[in-house]
Amino acid sequence: MRDIRRSLYAASGALALVATALAVPVQAGAGATTVAGGNTEYLVLVKAGADHAQALAAVRAAGGQVVKENRNLGTMTVRAAGTGFSLRVSQAASIEGAARSQVIGKIPQTKPNVVEQEHLGATAVTPKAATSVATGMDPLDAQLWGLRMVRSDLARTVQPGKKAVKVGILDSGVDARNPDIAPNFDWSLSRNFAPDLPEIDGACEFRGCVDPVGWDDSGHGTHVAGTIGAAANGLGVSGVAPGVTLVEIRGGQDSGFVFLGPVADALTYAGDVGLDVVNMSFYVDPWLYNCTNNPADTPEAQLEQRTTIDTMRRALNYAYSKGVTMVAALGNNHEDLGKPRPDISSPDFPAGTAYPRTIDNSSCLDLPVEGPHVIGVSALGPSGKKSDYSNYGLEQTEVSAPGGYFRDYFGTPQFRTVQNEILSTYPVNALQVQGLVDAAGEITPAGVAGGVQKQCPAGVTDYTGCGYYNWLQGTSMASPHATGVAALIVSEYGKKGPHGSFGLSPDRVQQILLGSAQHRACPVPPLVSYLNEGRTAEFDALCEGSRNFNGFYGHGIVDAWAAVTRY
């Protein structure tokens, strides 16, 4: 089934791949003060090999005005009337499809998230300060059980990661003020592809409604970045690959939503500038699954989902063709992706528009994790048990990694403790919004209860120069552990290329990542119930497969030490 589904993504025809053509603005006529046809924004996908002039003419004939293009992928950002444009323009021979520029992905917002911040409001155990710090490790690393599970503590004695290896954080942004992020952050390559939208993000904080690179109002992207590559510098935490370079390729809004255009542009840019690995810890919506022809959907909704599938296919194939290894979170919907439940949550934007849909596994896709050339990662708790929230299944689980599991260790004092989650870097501004840090930069009682921690470099008196650290759980936290190992693989086995480049083919990275993973057999019995942990029977999960490959662990738990020493 994996090959059948992924064959939907087979590349068709050659595209004119012009590196300088990314996000080319199209100027309105002189003196124009209004947008012809309307102010609703669409992403239009041009057919591969189609004549560019004919595509532009088709957009105009349908009542649209092109405001930006990504010619590498063959997409146009268009403004037109709020209804009818998608169906009209898609009738043209040069147009593949069109989708209203609505949310296609979602990063957890700054308000408490039911999965990722499950610990908030629960009783937390105050972390104990480390009495000694192992060589090559940082003061808070004793709390990072995930580093030990993937054996990063051992791997860094051989390969801590090379600065020449560049890892893209396709997320909500990255707080480069954090002293654990700053040493590894690449300011010159980092980009923000998602300007703030006041109607969903609130009042703009920066001129032009564009947050600068190195800024993160959500916290999600900074947490991901720290797990991948926080510096081993004697402060705070260190990442799985503490020596690599971190590049922000922001595709998410402050509000937590992710639009199709910014994601496609970010993946195109990742390929154009030669990023080695990209982490994608987000899931697509407003459709939980994008379907090609679901009978419950209107013709326009079907067209928009097909356009999303085709656009993501092009973007992922483009990045792969440029040597980018892509790693993605499997999702937090506690379901077998090869046997999806009926979807009752889509579309989840705008609010109140969802309706029930039966999901056909052969024609409905969870993106980006079910896209081409994407390594899917499931989440584990510190005991090694599959986290109750984590998606799973033989079809899409390539590997597993530490993602945190607040309810791990049922029947012991460790049950429902924050230390079962993942500690990583976090922006102080996001903690202040949540009431976990006060205006003076001090951790509030709620923050103490939630396990928030702070460390300041010697001599720093301004709290914005200090490092803040927070606990989260989710497949979003598992994916960066695997991304960090992938970055170490490129560091260890990569080769110099033309024009000073350095890298390793995505196929070889995946081969080593999967081949070095620690095999883990299904539990006995293989049907796991989470009723004791307080979940409903809907969370019951059946592990299928062998010790070498199964639906919970894939090829196994990622292993940094084996990855950099075995080949």
Side-chain angles (χ1 to χ4, degrees):
M1 181 60 71
R2 175 189 300 272
D3 293 337
I4 293 173
R5 299 190 77 196
R6 291 202 171 177
S7 69
L8 293 172
Y9 292 97
S12 58
L15 293 173
L17 303 180
V18 184
T20 59
L22 175 62
V24 177
V26 178
Q27 300 297 329
T33 57
T34 62
V35 178
N39 289 311
T40 299
E41 190 173 278
Y42 296 83
L43 187 137
V44 175
L45 185 64
V46 180
K47 282 187 178 178
D51 181 79
H52 180 254
Q54 290 180 0
L56 283 174
V59 168
R60 292 173 184 141
Q65 181 188 42
V66 178
V67 295
K68 186 175 68 173
E69 294 185 62
N70 180 340
R71 293 194 188 178
N72 286 341
L73 296 188
T75 63
M76 299 177 178
T77 300
V78 174
R79 292 193 180 119
T83 59
F85 173 78
S86 294
L87 293 176
R88 287 196 304 272
V89 75
S90 298
Q91 293 174 3
S94 58
I95 302 298
E96 192 75 50
R100 190 187 304 265
S101 291
Q102 58 191 3
V103 177
I104 63 96
K106 185 177 181 181
I107 296 167
Q109 301 180 34
T110 53
K111 64 183 180 182
N113 180 275
V114 293
V115 171
E116 297 198 345
Q117 296 185 329
E118 186 183 1
H119 68 277
L120 291 183
T123 302
V125 176
T126 302
K128 295 181 179 179
T131 55
S132 62
V133 179
T135 302
M137 307 296 285
D138 280 349
L140 301 184
D141 285 353
Q143 301 172 48
L144 305 190
W145 55 268
L147 280 188
R148 296 187 296 277
M149 180 177 281
V150 304
R151 301 208 288 178
S152 168
D153 53 339
L154 297 178
R156 68 187 57 191
T157 64
V158 173
Q159 178 56 265
K162 293 180 178 178
K163 281 287 183 286
V165 175
K166 301 180 289 293
V167 181
I169 315 298
L170 208 177
D171 214 288
S172 63
V174 177
D175 180 12
R177 298 172 300 173
N178 190 298
D180 266 328
I181 298 293
N184 292 341
F185 189 77
D186 191 318
W187 290 92
S188 63
L189 284 181
S190 292
R191 297 288 187 276
N192 176 6
F193 295 96
D196 288 350
L197 301 173
E199 57 269 31
I200 61 172
D201 296 324
C204 296
E205 304 163 275
F206 297 95
R207 179 176 296 181
C209 286
V210 179
D211 291 351
V213 296
W215 184 265
D216 180 14
D217 279 316
S218 165
H220 192 270
T222 303
H223 197 280
V224 164
T227 295
I228 295 169
N233 57 357
L235 184 82
V237 301
S238 64
V240 173
V244 301
T245 295
L246 301 172
V247 180
E248 173 189 341
I249 48 172
R250 176 177 163 175
Q253 307 299 139
D254 287 348
S255 56
F257 294 110
V258 182
F259 288 86
L260 177 60
V263 171
D265 287 347
L267 286 170
T268 307
Y269 178 78
D272 288 342
V273 300
L275 301 191
D276 296 287
V277 189
V278 167
N279 187 86
M280 298 181 289
S281 285
F282 58 89
Y283 61 90
V284 296
D285 70 359
W287 308 98
L288 182 61
Y289 289 90
N290 284 274
C291 302
T292 59
N293 195 32
N294 194 306
D297 297 329
T298 66
E300 186 173 18
Q302 291 174 355
L303 175 62
E304 290 187 351
Q305 291 171 71
R306 289 195 296 269
T307 301
T308 298
I309 290 170
D310 290 341
T311 302
M312 287 298 292
R313 176 205 70 196
R314 286 194 191 179
L316 294 167
N317 280 332
Y318 182 83
Y320 166 80
S321 74
K322 295 289 188 174
V324 181
T325 297
M326 293 169 287
V327 184
L330 211 61
N332 298 339
N333 203 44
H334 58 274
E335 67 178 331
D336 185 333
L337 287 179
K339 305 170 185 177
R341 298 190 302 270
D343 175 17
I344 61 173
S345 64
S346 300
D348 63 2
F349 181 91
T353 59
Y355 52 88
R357 302 190 303 162
T358 298
I359 299 303
D360 172 28
N361 185 52
S362 66
S363 60
C364 297
L365 299 164
D366 180 359
L367 294 168
V369 73
E370 291 190 307
H373 315 298
V374 177
I375 300 169
V377 187
S378 65
L380 310 175
S383 71
K385 187 175 183 178
K386 184 190 81 69
S387 307
D388 56 1
Y389 57 78
S390 179
N391 287 346
Y392 59 97
L394 290 169
E395 187 175 288
Q396 298 299 336
T397 308
E398 266 93 9
V399 289
S400 55
Y405 178 22
F406 182 63
R407 304 186 188 209
D408 208 351
Y409 295 117
F410 174 76
T412 76
Q414 288 180 262
F415 177 62
R416 293 182 64 88
T417 57
V418 72
Q419 287 73 27
N420 292 337
E421 297 185 354
I422 303 297
L423 182 67
S424 189
T425 48
Y426 215 76
V428 63
N429 48 296
L431 293 169
Q432 288 171 325
V433 169
Q434 295 180 36
L436 304 178
V437 171
D438 65 21
E442 299 301 323
I443 300 172
T444 65
V448 172
V452 174
Q453 297 171 63
K454 171 185 177 183
Q455 290 207 342
C456 300
V460 170
T461 56
D462 182 352
Y463 74 87
T464 61
C466 297
Y468 290 83
Y469 309 88
N470 194 21
W471 301 86
L472 296 178
Q473 67 173 4
T475 55
S476 286
M477 285 65 250
S479 179
H481 281 88
T483 296
V485 177
L488 291 179
I489 290 169
V490 180
S491 298
E492 182 65 19
Y493 306 107
K495 304 295 182 183
K496 292 182 178 180
H499 311 297
S501 64
F502 181 86
L504 188 65
S505 76
D507 290 340
R508 182 57 175 158
V509 175
Q510 180 169 346
Q511 181 185 39
I512 296 174
L513 183 70
L514 274 54
S516 61
Q518 310 164 37
H519 294 317
R520 181 68 66 96
C522 285
V524 180
L527 180 61
V528 176
S529 169
Y530 296 94
L531 292 176
N532 286 336
E533 287 85 354
R535 297 302 194 185
T536 66
E538 183 180 273
F539 283 76
D540 290 358
L542 177 64
C543 184
E544 300 175 295
S546 65
R547 176 179 176 81
N548 291 346
F549 179 78
N550 58 67
F552 278 15
Y553 300 96
H555 292 271
I557 304 170
V558 294
D559 187 335
W561 169 253
V564 300
T565 59
R566 186 177 294 175
Y567 293 86

